[in-house]
Amino acid sequence: MSSQTEPRILLTRDEIAAAVRRLSAEIGKEYRGKCPLLIGILKGSFVFMADLVRSLDFPLEVEFIKLSSYGRGRESLGKVSVVSGLTSPIEGRDVLVVEDIVDTGITLSFLIDYLKKEKPASLRLCALTDKPSRRQSALTIDYLGFTVPDRFIVGYGIDWDEKFRYLPDICYLEDEK
Ligand code: IMP
Ligand code: MG
């Protein structure tokens, strides 16, 4: 993949905004009045998280976890570790994990096991995008924005080699296979 590749739009900012509204309505039905703890996975989820929390019109709390999985390239290293973990206890909390992309599922499977040990009252997943064709670890996405094809995407917080996070739309970097 060349860094010279021109990004081409897959999901427009308007489509993303509509998905965020839909997800926040679904999440609100479940979590209103429960003061859930939303845990974003850094760095990719930061833009999605910012839009999602502003669309949720009830009290909640926000936490971030930084995991290492992908290196600087495209393929998952297959091994996940916590680079920066929880800063407060989650025992008894209603936890909603917020992720940008579920690809192989290795990152989230690891995180779910890690969080379950801390005994939250409930634990669910919200993902903006899902690439089911690449799944290696089975998991349930409770709140999903979009299913996307197996192509490398960037923008709306999602990077390639730390680049393109600023793009307001979600774009393809690669030509169609
Ligand atoms: P997984 O462990 O393979 O599910 O990896 C999930 C993580 O890999 C996501 O949270 C992203 O950070 C990264 N990732 C997977 N696919 C893409 C992509 O198409 N573009 C950018 N990052 C990706
Ligand atoms: Mg991520």
Side-chain angles (χ1 to χ4, degrees), residues 41-45 99-101:
I41 308 180
L42 291 174
K43 299 177 189 173
S45 71
E99 174 63 309
D100 55 352
I101 306 175

Side-chain angles (χ1 to χ4, degrees), residues 41 44 69-70 74 76 80 99-108 131 134-135 151-154 158-160:
I41 308 180
S69 54
Y70 274 51
R74 144 137 214 196
S76 175
V80 188
E99 174 63 309
D100 55 352
I101 306 175
V102 184
D103 187 18
T104 64
I106 292 171
T107 307
L108 269 178
K131 276 190 212 171
R134 292 192 17 112
R135 192 74 85 255
R151 296 177 60 188
F152 202 81
I153 58 175
V154 294
I158 302 166
D159 75 310
W160 173 67

Side-chain angles (χ1 to χ4, degrees), residues 79-95:
K79 267 189 87 172
V80 188
S81 62
V82 179
V83 175
S84 168
L86 296 167
T87 58
S88 54
I90 62 164
E91 185 171 348
R93 299 296 304 268
D94 290 299
V95 171

Side-chain angles (χ1 to χ4, degrees), residues 53-64:
V53 297
R54 285 179 292 178
S55 188
L56 293 169
D57 55 346
F58 56 86
L60 54 84
E61 293 177 16
V62 172
E63 176 77 275
F64 285 98

Side-chain angles (χ1 to χ4, degrees), residues 82 114 170:
V82 179
Y114 172 84
I170 291 180

